Amino acid sequence: MAKRRWSGVLFASAVLFAAPASEARANSGTFTMEQVLAYPFVPELQAAKGADAIAFVRVLKGVRNVWLANGPAFRPRQVTRYSSDDGQELTQLTFSPDGKHLVYVRGGDHDANWEAKLPPDPDSATTEPKVAIWSAQLSGGSPLKVAEGDAPAISSRGQLAYLKDNQVWTAPLAGKGKPRRLFFDRGDDRALAWSPDGAKLAFVSDRDGDHSFIGIYDLKSGTLTYLAPSTDFDDYPVWSPDGSRIAFARRPGAGGAPKPLLKQTPVPFSIWVADIASGQANRIWQSPDTLLGSFPETAGEVNLNWASGDRLVFLADLDNWPHLYSLPASGGEPLLLTPGSFMVEHVAMSRDRKSVIYDANTGASQDDHDRRHLFQVPVDAPHPVELSRGTGLEWAPVAASGTDVAFVSAGAAAPPSVSVIGVDGQGLRDLRPGTVPPEFPETALIAPRAVDFKAPDGWTIHGQLFDNGSGTRKPGIIFVHGGPPRQMLLGWHYMDYYSNSYAVNQYLANHGYVVLSVNYRLGIGYGHAFHHPDHAGPAGAAEYQDVLAGAKYLQALGDVDPGKIGIWGGSYGGYLTAMGVARNSEIFKAGVDLHGVHDWSSFIEMRLEKRPKRYEEGDIKEALKVAFDSSPIASMDGWRSPVLLIQGDDDRNVSFSQTIDLARRIEDRKVPFEQFVIPNEIHGFLRWQSWLAADTKSAGFFGRTLPAQ
């Protein structure tokens, strides 16, 4: 294991920070942080299209491996044999259409806001890591390295295409032979999609950051064409089953008069269908020019799919909720397939394309708005049928066969694992047995309780309360998620970052704290208006009132000591943590801020740097002032509470300079603080040891500043 270096800067009395007894109190629960972090996790699940097989990645204590399960029994077997917590991702599982090969990508950071010149090296390896494509024959044998690259796509003819330096390359699946660039395109290429016959490759060509084209490369003629090129952003190409047409989504290109920075404006989109032979395209549907008609921003975004009956299925927020719609490929009025007050999230097509399988935060059980369950709906009728129900959580469905659906399931205690169920909702099979380490304290975990409370402006805010019910007055902790388009759930989360948060909240509850996880406005799961509120973030920080309301709700609980409230969170949650201790140190007596944003005005300036210089300024000056006033650094004079700052210095989502700047400002005011910096780690830590160290540090900090009895 690579050594981790950190430095602590603090201005406090020895009594507050150095007493060994307080450390002991922080570790008086029934399990350790290392034990509760020993949960297995499934970050990716995919299904073959031409065979009854699924593949998934399983992560345990930072060791990532690819597993395969063949139908009809779907007994999992391990494909790779990686054995170290080296922080190298395994992503983008891709079956060949015939189901004989499986490729995957090892390395990289696939959740970054911006690219870096070098791949992540969180293990501080002395050899530069590479992002590479590996191939495994499903009949057996060890995986082979095919080429350095990313984003693989395999044609029905068995040809591999992938991306390298934003260009399209190809290489033999067997790993023998020299990789070569398939063609040159002036743009930055992505979203590779082979035609059904494997003769043509569609892709998105991003041009200069202000428009994009759908390109088609013809292997036989070696020619490159673009479908209905325009000044817009074209994206999400989907082939018709016969390969004669492509559907895609279009949004307005960058340009025009400056948009207000302090006011929401619509981002309309349209769906187009292009004829491959002529290159001509027709718009078959246009969203309304309203906020609800804006391009969707939940998982998969537009989720465009070509269904049976020559229909197109897509997702939109037209009725205030992310829902599935379908319409004829020739055009017409969209049909709402999933009516109701809930969010459709992860979407997959059935094998015969006659139905859509999805998860949503609805169901027959109380508080299902904070869970996920599986459903199936025909592509031509609004008649959803539930496939799962209860107090568990089910997400990320894929069509494992013509009669089976594979998905990831979890509970309040049971960690994520892969399961299979029939398309009729019968025959549930859990592929979990034998994968949970014996030290994992599953039986000691508690079921969080759904709670609601009111913000000062009348909004209803949702949360999950972790309380072991001991009856004694305990310190309270507010947890705020990042994103912010996220939703914490009544159980383990489908994102590894938030499963870690869930484990830490369980640990804190087990060690004498009452924890309230606040699903503040800007989050998903409660409708478009909740997801897109006015005056939020750099435009006014309206969501902070939800966090403060959560703290006051916590203070009013009978078993909480109202004078001992802490707050913690990462990324956007780190921002809200810093806001709490800066604006309301009289309430928040301590905070743990992981890689938070501390100065919104610097983000506005970075956005402006990418825009062309214009005479028109719009509301830039006002927006910069509001952004600064909406930042923690604007309230430094009121900051009195101690804080722990945590960040990796290779963060590609929030600049490390945000934490450097805040540390100097806190230092200047002689406010007690500590810092824990992990060299070479990224935003969502890639190594389990990094999470263990950061989480242990966080719990120890609360144990010293807000000791539980």
Side-chain angles (χ1 to χ4, degrees), residues 291-448:
L291 292 178
L292 292 181
S294 296
F295 193 77
E297 296 180 351
T298 42
E301 295 184 329
V302 71
N303 283 282
L304 188 60
N305 282 281
W306 209 302
S308 67
D310 206 32
R311 299 184 69 86
L312 291 167
V313 174
F314 66 98
L315 187 141
D317 290 13
L318 303 179
D319 66 349
N320 188 51
W321 296 92
H323 279 311
L324 291 171
Y325 295 80
S326 78
L327 77 165
S330 58
E333 288 298 315
L335 172 67
L336 172 60
L337 298 176
T338 56
S341 300
F342 59 85
M343 173 186 67
V344 171
E345 195 162 22
H346 306 103
V347 176
M349 294 298 295
S350 64
R351 286 285 182 89
D352 59 10
R353 299 176 182 260
K354 292 182 179 180
S355 62
V356 186
I357 310 161
Y358 62 94
D359 62 55
N361 63 330
T362 188
S365 299
Q366 185 178 358
D367 302 321
D368 272 343
H369 58 272
D370 284 351
R371 298 189 182 94
R372 298 291 184 271
H373 295 309
L374 303 183
F375 299 84
Q376 184 171 237
V377 64
V379 300
D380 57 359
H383 302 307
V385 176
E386 67 176 14
L387 299 181
S388 67
R389 61 161 54 189
T391 58
L393 302 97
E394 303 84 33
W395 63 78
V398 295
S401 69
T403 58
D404 294 292
V405 175
F407 58 96
V408 183
S409 62
S417 65
V418 177
S419 297
V420 176
I421 196 171
V423 293
D424 57 0
Q426 303 298 313
L428 177 65
R429 286 153 284 172
D430 184 2
L431 309 189
R432 171 191 177 193
T435 65
V436 180
E439 68 268 26
F440 178 71
E442 185 170 336
T443 58
L445 303 186
I446 62 174

Side-chain angles (χ1 to χ4, degrees), residues 168-190:
V168 182
W169 286 62
T170 187
L173 277 174
K176 299 177 181 179
K178 187 177 180 181
R180 62 181 176 86
R181 188 164 66 182
L182 190 57
F183 58 86
F184 166 75
D185 174 59
R186 191 183 71 80
D188 290 340
D189 299 338
R190 58 180 177 82

